[in-house]
Amino acid sequence: MGNAVKLSTFLEANTNIDLAKLILSLAEGCKIIGRLVNNAGLSGIIGTTGDTNVQGETVQKLDDLSNKILMDYLRASETCAGYLSEENEGIATLNQNGKYIISVDPLDGSSNIDVCAPIGTIFNIYERLSGAGDVSDADFFQKGMETKAGGYVIYGSSTILVFSTSNGVTGFTLSTEDNDFYLSHPDMKMPEKGKIYSLNQGNTEKFGEGVKNFIAYCTMVDKETSRPYSLRYIGSMVGDLHRNLIKGGIFIYPANKGEKKGKLRLLYECIPMSFLTEQAGGKATDGTQRILEIQPTELHERTAIFIGSKNLVEKAEEFLKG
Ligand code: P6P
């Protein structure tokens, strides 16, 4: 790969050795997950396990496999003390003397596996608050602004690791030549102005008036503001947010009549994506406050989210304030 910058080289130069080890272990696990996703149709691992997870959602076989792979690789890192996953009811201690803890959605959007749409692994890393020994829930109840590293791996037309350690956002593409991650997206910036809105418009009748009025604003004809905007919705948060990070836009999963606090989970979906978005110059709120300022109180709590290009999130907030 010539003089392309390897992930390991970038991490050595830009973070401490423990965090670098953790991210490299995570990246190794995601390489395995990516290969399983790419071969899913041939290896009989498409479909469900027949179980439902703590969220009451049907568990895809690849959800379960991805979760187990990440636990194994992060345990081997020796620097990851604690693990919280969408797929596990409670937290797990991986290394009693580890310095960090991690919250993950092992395979976000996994219901899209059968239709070959982009899916991804989302992660958020904090320093543990407890000194050593077993981790506790309290270690995970930190506001998103305490994040030490956060991001995702998208398994799409290519496999790309996108993350931040508080010094901007960087993307690394997995080479199919030597199976290593190389710098491909230095200093990613969320376009301030976007023309894409992304939400499940089929739920409009369940939304509050503010969201309905923002949707009407997006669909109105107005040449001066390049409206109507385009609706793009993959049904996979990682796919929708990666597109918006590159092209600009807003992603919305609001509270609604059926989901009082929305659907998406605070600790391992909304906080990492909001941390990354703010690091790229975008904005992320629950409609009234920064996602990164929400005080978590439950491991699997959910939140409404309005996230993306600053101009669109602020326009949505105007409609929410009525
Ligand atoms: P809906 C996938 O199940 C997920 O958690 C996110 O990746 C995605 O944005 C959302 O749910 C889709 O939910 O209700 O629109 O199908």
Side-chain angles (χ1 to χ4, degrees):
M1 293 298 296
N3 56 4
V5 176
K6 275 191 176 184
L7 174 62
S8 52
T9 308
F10 177 88
L11 288 170
E12 278 157 30
N14 290 281
T15 188
N16 67 64
I17 190 165
D18 284 342
L19 188 54
K21 265 185 89 174
L22 201 168
I23 294 172
L24 286 169
S25 301
L26 177 75
E28 285 306 307
C30 290
K31 287 179 187 176
I32 309 290
I33 294 171
R35 273 208 297 279
L36 288 171
V37 167
N38 291 149
N39 289 317
L42 299 173
S43 42
I45 51 176
I46 272 187
T48 67
T49 62
D51 301 323
T52 54
N53 63 18
V54 64
Q55 328 285 342
E57 293 170 343
T58 303
V59 177
Q60 303 290 329
K61 289 176 188 169
L62 267 170
D63 284 324
D64 206 30
L65 262 174
S66 303
N67 190 44
K68 290 186 171 73
I69 288 164
L70 290 179
M71 291 186 79
D72 289 347
Y73 274 80
L74 289 164
R75 185 178 291 112
S77 77
E78 296 175 351
T79 63
C80 187
Y83 182 85
L84 165 66
S85 164
E86 179 185 71
E87 300 307 326
N88 297 341
E89 185 158 359
I91 59 176
T93 295
L94 300 182
N95 294 285
Q96 298 239 329
N97 298 313
K99 186 177 170 189
Y100 294 100
I101 58 172
I102 193 168
S103 305
V104 296
D105 182 350
L107 203 56
D108 172 70
S110 52
S111 55
N112 285 298
I113 293 169
D114 302 16
V115 299
C116 209
I119 53 182
T121 298
I122 310 174
F123 65 92
N124 206 65
I125 297 167
Y126 292 128
E127 284 182 2
R128 67 180 300 172
L129 298 175
S130 49
D134 287 349
V135 291
S136 70
D137 288 1
D139 282 305
F140 291 85
F141 294 156
Q142 298 183 52
K143 291 184 179 181
M145 61 179 70
E146 300 304 327
T147 295
K148 299 305 175 211
Y152 58 83
V153 175
I154 183 167
Y155 312 107
S157 50
S158 51
T159 295
I160 306 176
L161 164 65
V162 178
F163 72 97
S164 174
T165 56
S166 301
N167 299 304
V169 177
T170 315
F172 295 80
T173 296
L174 183 64
S175 160
T176 53
E177 288 171 25
D178 67 3
N179 198 37
D180 215 327
F181 279 103
Y182 289 91
L183 180 64
S184 52
H185 299 69
D187 196 21
M188 298 179 82
K189 291 291 182 204
M190 168 83 71
E192 191 160 338
K193 294 187 184 318
K195 298 174 189 168
I196 290 172
Y197 72 107
S198 183
L199 83 167
N200 188 337
Q201 199 155 330
N203 289 330
T204 298
E205 276 317 300
K206 299 181 192 171
F207 296 154
E209 285 311 305
V211 176
K212 288 180 183 174
N213 293 337
F214 177 66
I215 293 171
Y217 170 83
C218 292
T219 55
M220 210 175 284
V221 177
D222 178 86
K223 281 199 173 37
E224 204 176 296
T225 53
S226 309
R227 287 179 287 153
Y229 296 143
S230 295
L231 172 60
R232 295 287 183 272
Y233 192 69
I234 302 170
S236 168
M237 188 185 197
V238 173
D240 282 315
L241 290 190
H242 186 69
R243 179 202 56 244
N244 287 358
L245 176 58
I246 290 175
K247 293 183 179 291
I250 184 171
F251 173 88
I252 298 173
Y253 208 107
N256 57 75
K257 285 177 191 156
E259 298 159 310
K260 293 291 177 219
K261 292 193 75 180
K263 172 183 182 182
L264 300 178
R265 275 60 56 146
L266 176 62
L267 281 172
Y268 41 80
E269 289 173 329
C270 295
I271 283 179
M273 288 310 205
S274 301
F275 171 73
L276 202 68
T277 294
E278 287 197 3
Q279 283 291 318
K283 191 167 184 180
T285 81
D286 65 357
T288 57
Q289 63 179 316
R290 274 175 81 203
I291 295 286
L292 299 189
E293 287 178 352
I294 297 174
Q295 175 56 58
T297 55
E298 292 168 32
L299 295 175
H300 299 287
E301 71 180 85
R302 301 169 192 262
T303 179
I305 186 165
F306 299 76
I307 182 170
S309 295
K310 197 169 278 188
N311 78 318
L312 288 175
V313 174
E314 288 172 351
K315 179 56 76 176
E317 287 177 312
E318 282 176 31
F319 284 100
L320 294 170
K321 288 179 182 124

